[in-house]
Amino acid sequence: MTTPWQRVPSDLAAAMRPRLPTAVRAIAEAVAEANPGSAETAGEKFNRDVRTAVQVALERFVDLAGTGEPALPPPIREVFVALGAAEARENRGPEFLLGALRTAARLLLRAASQSLAESRPVTVDEIIDLSDATSAFVDELASACTDGLARQLREQAGEGDRRRRRAADLLLRGGAPADVAREAVTAIGWPALDRVVPVLLPADQARDARFRFAADGVVAERARDAVLLLRSGPRAERPALAEALAGRAAVVGPSLPWSEAPEAVRLAERAAELIGTGPEPVFVEDHFAALALRGEPGALAALSSRRLSALDGLRPGQREQLLTTLQSWLRHWGSRAAVAAELFVHPQTVSYRLNRLRDLLGPDLDDPTARFELLLVLTQRRN
């Protein structure tokens, strides 16, 4: 099979070789000028790599003139594969490489044509053959560069997957030292190690969850299901999850500190057993009371945190006083006289404390579900 460079005049090598240093410098400078952002960011190494690549490419093109050899023997091809890989490591896509190669192709054709023209007359057919040869040769260079870029991206993706699996395993297993866990999540781009929201999903949705929540979650695949662990943030809020998980038979566990992720997953598992799954996601926080009544200490602790967190900033004695008053008020169905008699305080004192509780707890005191959960938490607190 005839190669495009086989039709190139064989005397091109003799005409062009003395001009190679000038051509290399001109093409390297043109490539750098066409991509000033990359040159300024990468500095001297960028310029050195460009000069090396241009030198190797031009010397090879000159050697190919009039031959039927393959464009790039393995050692030369690896130079351009490495160049593409380096671009991927710098988080640059193929646009720079392809633009640089277009610039190089244009200038290579000009340099080759001028070299021949300075040694003898050049025909139109020879110019056309030179054009075909430079285009085909640069296409081979582009193929090698994009191959290197693709290889590096696959390698980086594999390393990223490994890091994400490690982070998921550490969080799911629990017990990891804080510095180890922090290092693991930093390696996958999480800005901090804070609270985690687990989501149980059918096993066949693991891949989709990994794609949809790539920046905010890690996925652990298990025999019977998949566990998505989401870092705290807007995408882990209930409204966002209700929309994103619609129709996916999901069970959303409670938001707990990262060190309690195994407990959060266990509560999601227990809720799945108790409630089952359906088209709409099940939120464990809606079923804390049911789980607590079935002896789940984690559910009781989560429910307590949810209902009483507004009192966390009080002094211990003041907090205890208000909780005692609240429990009595709930048991006596809001009778201030009964509360005052039970606690041996003046009814006005009860009124003052209840006003303070209303400031802290807001509408929870008028919500039947919230009142039941408050009474459950306070009753268990005494036991």
Side-chain angles (χ1 to χ4, degrees):
M1 180 180 177
T2 301
T3 61
W5 37 89
Q6 197 165 354
R7 297 192 299 270
V8 170
S10 57
D11 60 343
L12 175 66
M16 192 173 178
R17 202 175 296 280
R19 297 171 174 80
L20 279 181
T22 301
V24 168
R25 184 169 57 254
I27 293 176
E29 289 175 356
V31 168
E33 288 173 5
N35 299 273
S38 298
E40 291 173 7
T41 301
E44 181 56 32
K45 183 180 184 303
F46 170 85
N47 295 324
R48 187 170 61 250
D49 289 346
V50 168
R51 285 196 300 270
T52 299
V54 172
Q55 178 83 36
V56 171
L58 264 61
E59 288 180 352
R60 180 56 185 165
F61 183 75
V62 167
D63 290 341
L64 282 174
T67 75
E69 297 178 9
L72 302 177
I76 294 178
R77 192 174 194 278
E78 281 305 310
V79 171
F80 293 90
V81 169
L83 189 62
E87 287 300 293
R89 287 193 293 272
E90 293 296 326
N91 293 320
R92 289 193 290 264
E95 296 81 8
F96 161 71
L97 282 174
L98 297 179
L101 289 169
R102 284 192 295 269
T103 299
R106 176 173 53 82
L107 296 180
L108 173 56
L109 176 58
R110 176 177 293 185
S113 303
Q114 289 176 342
S115 297
L116 276 179
E118 289 175 7
S119 62
R120 62 169 177 80
V122 181
T123 67
V124 172
D125 286 343
E126 286 176 329
I127 295 297
I128 293 173
D129 288 339
L130 273 174
S131 178
D132 289 344
T134 55
S135 295
F137 179 68
V138 171
D139 283 347
E140 293 288 336
L141 298 180
S143 175
C145 288
T146 52
D147 185 32
L149 188 143
R151 284 190 206 174
Q152 183 64 32
L153 290 177
R154 285 195 299 270
E155 182 179 330
Q156 290 176 185
E159 176 61 17
D161 287 344
R162 186 193 68 78
R163 291 176 178 177
R164 300 181 80 79
R165 285 195 299 271
R166 179 171 182 265
D169 182 60
L170 283 174
L171 293 173
L172 197 57
R173 189 174 64 241
D179 56 340
V180 173
R182 190 173 295 108
E183 179 186 0
V185 300
T186 299
I188 62 172
W190 286 14
L193 185 60
D194 192 6
R195 301 177 75 83
V196 171
V197 177
V199 181
L200 301 188
L201 292 163
D204 60 2
Q205 293 194 31
R207 183 177 180 181
D208 179 72
R210 195 173 285 117
F211 174 78
R212 289 160 61 88
F213 295 94
D216 301 289
V218 291
V219 177
E221 296 186 57
R222 305 191 295 185
R224 63 187 182 280
D225 60 13
V227 181
L228 167 66
L229 297 171
L230 287 169
R231 66 183 179 92
S232 59
R235 298 193 70 190
E237 298 295 333
R238 179 163 179 157
L241 288 176
E243 180 179 353
L245 299 173
R248 297 181 182 276
V251 179
V252 182
S255 172
L256 293 179
W258 68 269
S259 57
E260 298 176 32
E263 178 62 23
V265 171
R266 199 175 79 83
L267 289 174
E269 292 170 340
R270 292 286 288 119
E273 295 170 3
L274 178 65
I275 310 300
T277 59
E280 299 305 315
V282 173
F283 287 87
V284 175
E285 64 182 17
D286 294 340
H287 306 284
F288 280 152
L291 291 170
L293 289 171
R294 283 165 174 77
E296 285 293 334
L300 185 63
L303 184 61
S304 178
S305 175
R306 179 186 181 190
R307 290 302 180 194
L308 301 180
S309 59
L311 283 71
D312 288 347
L314 302 177
R315 296 190 306 274
Q318 185 183 21
R319 183 176 188 274
E320 182 64 27
Q321 192 178 70
L322 288 178
L323 290 178
T324 300
T325 301
L326 176 60
Q327 182 179 3
S328 179
W329 182 77
L330 290 168
R331 285 193 299 103
H332 291 293
W333 296 82
S335 171
R336 301 191 183 201
V339 173
E342 180 179 27
L343 300 183
F344 302 104
V345 297
H346 195 279
Q348 287 186 340
T349 301
V350 175
S351 296
Y352 168 79
R353 292 178 184 177
L354 287 174
N355 287 336
R356 183 76 177 108
L357 284 166
R358 193 168 291 279
D359 289 340
L360 294 168
L361 299 177
D364 281 1
L365 291 186
D366 298 316
D367 180 80
T369 298
R371 289 166 63 136
F372 170 74
E373 291 179 352
L374 283 167
L375 184 57
L376 175 63
V377 166
L378 294 170
T379 301
Q380 292 296 324
R381 191 176 68 98
R382 296 294 187 186
N383 295 338

